[in-house]
Amino acid sequence: MEPLYQYAWLIPVLPLIGAALVGSGLISYNQATNRLRQGNAIVIISLLGAAMVMSFALLWSQLQGHAPVTQTLEWAAAGDFHLSMGFIIDPLTSVMLVIVTTVALLVMIYTDGYMAHDPGYVRFYAYLSLFSSSMLGLVISPNLVQIYIFWELVGMCSYLLIGFWYDRQAAADACQKAFITNRVGDFGLLLGILALYWATGSFEFAEIGENLEALISTGALSSGMGVLFAVLVFLGPVAKSAQFPLHVWLPDAMEGPTPISALIHAATMVAAGVFLIARMFPVFEAVPAVLDIIAWTGAFTAFLGASIALTQNDIKKGLAYSTISQLGYMVMAMGVGAYSAGLFHLMTHAYFKAMLFLGSGSVIHGMEEVVGHNPDLAQDMRLMGGLRKYMPFTASTFLVGTLAICGIPPFAGFWSKDEILGAAFAANPALWAIGWLTAGITAFYMFRMYFSTFEGGFRGNDEEIRKQLSPEAHDDHGHDHSHSPHESPWTMTLPLVVLAIPSALIGLVGMPFANRFERFIHAPGEVVPTLAEMAEEFELSEFVVMAGSSVGIALIGITLASLMYLRQKIDPAAIAKTVQPLYQFSLNKWYFDELYDKVFVKGSRRLARQVMEVDYRIVDGAVNLTGLATLLSGEGLKYFETGRAQFYALTIFAAVLATVIFFGAT
């Protein structure tokens, strides 16, 4: 085996070493380690950079046609049970490794500027490195058991990072909400893994799919059971990739520092769900009914996220609901069998969404100079406006990301989203209609965000608005604050500029008439035409109709946003008043939080109180009654222990006489 593949296991191990070194330093020599702030950051970034170089080398090797490599060793054995651990390097793995390492590296560089004055700077880097290591370990896992181990590690790291500022109640609540919501999906995933092993006797992806298909076709396993097992596995991605109905944790995850918001939403945690669907595609193919469930779940989630993003005023929460919507597109693509299209959108989305989140962090960093370290003010778009004048690099890169997510050609999002919509139309026009409508809503809310933030006049010094948004903080204005924001330092703007390049250009590798991405990454067992055959099969008229319709509705959305938030020809408040019930429905996030709070949070508390009442009155009562009876009987019987033989003889005589009388009477 080539050394490159032989040592591929180092890719997740290198950032793990960085996290272990820095973590050990924080535990053993806390003050000294915290003083060496940038030294620790350089160590962690260098180790991840080495992992990135190896990832690019593996991707290049796979692009040159190198066969996939799987290397395992036996981890545990008992009778017929054998569990192996190791790694797999194939086209899917190599692409994911590059996505995770590049985005994570840029996020780490950005962190140096964003967290420069935070006392938890070094601890944050240790968490970031551990998070990256966990995701890389998940990506190279060759079987379900190893994936589940790293799956849980990713969840643990997200808990630590979302609740990084744990002294803030909102952050503490958010990390608990994320942890508990993901436990629901992870429990389903665990049950699904165990059920599939019971049915197929394997944890290997391809083997599970083949065995499951054979069992269902021969009738050894009912199709209903097959659907149940696959749906249980799908619950894992539903939680990790924030799909309905387990999507509620993701917007609250914005309570963490912005760099981790970018990492979670772009390349790690939420991408893990879509990646698992791709890995489990042979299993889902064996039960087509599950693919329909996956497709409709994704389509509904795409519309749900977009409809809520329409009314968000917090820039990070608006992007969070945008992520939910875009993940819905990816899941829908998997459900309609567009394997390469879903992964292509995962790749393009990773770069432009990372850039958008880091751009929002740059905006918040600039706004804090004016409004102070108050998230209610620094993240509210109603206090922004005109920032393009003060933050040209941030504004330009944010515009590139906005055009990419809106699907405007030739930016990356156009090619990947159009491919999904084309596949959805071929599978089910109703799915296409939902995706098409969502594309228009996406264009509207993203340009609403861009215009509100970067165009018009700066509203950050408007005392009336500040007082309405945060009355308790409004008197703080003027104390060591600037009257205008400023551009972020180069450690923050450089990653934005670098991410703008793939956001604009990387979609070109997936052009439908020369889809090199589909040629490289395709579903297992799928026969993919050559580039020449793709060019021959490409129908320009069909492409123009499909692409034209998606671009057309996006342009309508952009036009409406410009009339409302740029030119101010239409009053948004008047429209909101006209459709007040719908506006409130969107503003209150479809009331999911209230519903879950009433049913699950308060319901579980009510159940706990009832169980406690039963425990107190019945269980404890029975125990206490037994103790009382024992005490009373003991106290009574002690008077019979006189030590006089005559008394004992009289007692025995009385007992015998009573027995004779009783039996004689009966």
Side-chain angles (χ1 to χ4, degrees):
M1 188 188 300
E2 294 178 24
L4 178 61
Y5 287 87
Q6 189 176 351
Y7 294 102
W9 56 270
L10 280 171
I11 293 175
V13 169
L14 287 171
L16 179 62
I17 291 171
L21 287 173
V22 175
S24 300
L26 286 170
I27 293 169
S28 305
Y29 308 100
N30 186 277
Q31 292 184 354
T33 303
N34 274 309
R35 280 197 297 269
L36 298 170
R37 291 163 68 87
Q38 291 193 320
N40 285 293
I42 289 169
V43 168
I44 282 178
I45 291 172
S46 300
L47 288 168
L48 186 65
M52 184 185 73
V53 171
M54 290 184 68
S55 299
F56 271 105
L58 287 170
L59 176 62
W60 178 255
S61 176
Q62 288 290 302
L63 284 168
Q64 299 307 305
H66 194 289
V69 171
T70 302
Q71 185 172 340
T72 59
L73 57 87
E74 191 168 81
W75 185 261
D80 293 333
F81 176 80
H82 294 275
L83 178 60
S84 60
M85 296 289 180
F87 62 86
I88 180 172
I89 304 296
D90 61 2
L92 173 59
T93 301
S94 60
V95 168
M96 288 298 298
L97 288 175
V98 166
I99 293 171
V100 174
T101 52
T102 52
V103 173
L105 184 75
L106 290 168
V107 165
M108 285 183 180
I109 294 170
Y110 177 95
T111 298
D112 178 65
Y114 191 85
M115 302 288 285
H117 304 292
D118 196 289
Y121 176 96
V122 177
R123 177 167 60 95
F124 190 72
Y125 266 103
Y127 287 171
L128 280 181
S129 193
L130 183 60
F131 197 13
S132 304
S133 174
S134 302
M135 185 62 192
L136 292 169
L138 189 152
V139 166
I140 67 169
S141 296
N143 58 54
L144 273 174
V145 173
Q146 192 171 329
I147 272 193
Y148 189 77
I149 293 168
F150 284 106
W151 188 270
E152 292 302 315
L153 278 172
V154 167
M156 182 200 73
C157 294
S158 70
Y159 174 80
L160 294 172
L161 284 159
I162 293 168
F164 183 77
W165 289 321
Y166 54 84
D167 52 342
R168 283 170 40 191
Q169 188 60 44
D173 291 342
C175 69
Q176 291 179 57
K177 186 176 182 180
F179 189 80
I180 292 168
T181 307
N182 275 278
R183 293 294 68 72
V184 175
D186 293 356
F187 182 62
L189 174 60
L190 179 61
L191 290 178
I193 291 171
L194 295 175
L196 287 173
Y197 180 77
W198 169 79
T200 65
S202 177
F203 292 118
E204 310 298 321
F205 309 110
E207 198 173 327
I208 293 173
E210 292 171 5
N211 293 353
L212 189 64
E213 190 172 11
L215 288 168
I216 294 174
S217 62
T218 58
L221 184 73
S222 68
S223 58
M225 290 294 284
V227 169
L228 175 63
F229 295 168
V231 167
L232 285 171
V233 170
F234 178 54
L235 277 177
V238 165
K240 273 286 189 292
S241 289
Q243 298 297 285
F244 167 82
L246 300 178
H247 63 282
V248 291
W249 68 269
L250 193 59
D252 293 77
M254 297 302 95
E255 294 298 334
T258 300
I260 194 53
S261 301
L263 202 53
I264 285 178
H265 286 250
T268 53
M269 190 164 176
V270 296
V274 179
F275 171 78
L276 183 59
I277 297 175
R279 272 282 183 244
M280 295 293 289
F281 201 74
V283 179
F284 295 135
E285 267 192 321
V287 273
V290 176
L291 289 177
D292 291 335
I293 295 171
I294 292 172
W296 283 103
T297 300
F300 180 75
T301 305
F303 177 76
L304 171 71
S307 67
I308 298 174
L310 282 170
T311 55
Q312 296 301 305
N313 293 309
D314 185 307
I315 189 170
K316 284 176 68 177
K317 287 196 174 180
L319 289 172
Y321 280 107
S322 168
T323 299
I324 292 173
S325 182
Q326 296 304 307
L327 289 166
Y329 272 111
M330 299 172 209
V331 172
M332 179 176 71
M334 293 292 177
V336 299
Y339 178 92
S340 61
L343 291 171
F344 185 33
H345 196 55
L346 187 153
M347 179 179 71
T348 60
H349 175 265
Y351 290 112
F352 63 67
K353 184 53 64 69
M355 183 174 64
L356 287 168
F357 264 110
L358 296 182
S360 73
S362 179
V363 167
I364 294 165
H365 184 267
M367 286 294 295
E368 284 176 342
E369 289 295 314
V370 181
V371 300
H373 295 273
N374 183 345
D376 293 335
L377 300 177
Q379 296 175 197
D380 200 306
M381 292 184 288
R382 289 170 291 187
L383 269 176
M384 298 176 189
L387 296 187
R388 182 164 56 87
K389 172 183 170 185
Y390 306 103
M391 310 177 75
F393 285 105
T394 302
S396 301
T397 53
F398 201 94
L399 179 59
V400 170
T402 302
L403 290 167
I405 196 174
C406 293
I408 303 300
F411 295 92
F414 165 73
W415 303 103
S416 56
K417 190 183 289 187
D418 188 67
E419 194 175 341
I420 292 174
L421 290 176
F425 186 82
N428 188 330
L431 290 171
W432 170 84
I434 296 172
W436 177 76
L437 179 62
T438 302
I441 299 173
T442 300
F444 175 81
Y445 72 68
M446 284 305 304
F447 269 90
R448 168 185 179 262
M449 192 177 295
Y450 176 78
F451 291 143
S452 298
T453 304
F454 295 104
E455 302 297 337
F458 180 59
R459 300 179 291 275
N461 295 311
D462 191 316
E463 288 294 334
E464 287 301 315
I465 300 177
R466 290 160 63 93
K467 189 174 180 180
Q468 290 172 12
L469 299 181
S470 186
E472 70 281 0
H474 113 95
D475 291 333
D476 179 50
H477 186 51
H479 297 289
D480 299 323
H481 292 168
S482 171
H483 285 279
S484 61
H486 60 78
E487 186 60 276
S488 299
W490 72 267
T491 50
M492 295 173 67
T493 53
L494 177 63
L496 294 176
V497 173
V498 173
L499 284 166
I501 298 169
S503 297
L505 302 176
I506 203 168
L508 299 177
V509 303
M511 294 185 293
F513 46 84
N515 197 335
R516 296 181 181 276
F517 189 85
E518 187 177 353
R519 284 284 302 147
F520 182 55
I521 290 190
H522 50 82
E526 182 184 358
V527 178
V528 181
T530 64
L531 294 176
E533 289 171 337
M534 284 182 178
E536 289 178 8
E537 292 172 5
F538 174 69
E539 294 184 16
L540 181 61
S541 58
E542 182 181 340
F543 172 74
V544 169
V545 171
M546 293 301 299
S549 62
S550 62
V551 173
I553 195 167
L555 291 175
I556 291 172
I558 294 170
T559 303
L560 282 173
S562 67
L563 290 173
M564 293 171 72
Y565 297 99
L566 181 64
R567 300 180 182 279
Q568 298 179 340
K569 301 287 186 182
I570 302 174
D571 183 10
I575 295 178
K577 193 173 181 180
T578 305
V579 290
Q580 189 66 14
L582 290 175
Y583 174 77
Q584 289 297 328
F585 197 62
S586 170
L587 187 64
N588 289 285
K589 301 164 284 190
W590 288 37
Y591 296 99
F592 276 111
D593 285 332
E594 290 79 2
L595 176 65
Y596 288 179
D597 181 66
K598 185 174 183 180
V599 175
F600 297 113
V601 178
K602 291 178 180 173
S604 61
R605 287 175 181 169
R606 193 180 304 115
L607 178 63
R609 282 194 296 269
Q610 292 169 349
V611 170
M612 187 173 68
E613 195 73 14
V614 170
D615 178 68
Y616 177 72
R617 294 187 178 279
I618 297 177
V619 179
D620 284 358
V623 172
N624 293 338
L625 182 62
T626 304
L628 180 63
T630 304
L631 178 65
L632 292 176
S633 60
E635 284 292 322
L637 288 171
K638 76 179 182 180
Y639 294 107
F640 289 91
E641 297 290 334
T642 62
R644 297 171 60 187
Q646 298 94 324
F647 181 76
Y648 295 153
L650 180 63
T651 303
I652 293 169
F653 175 75
V656 172
L657 181 62
T659 304
V660 170
I661 292 171
F662 176 77
F663 283 107
T666 55

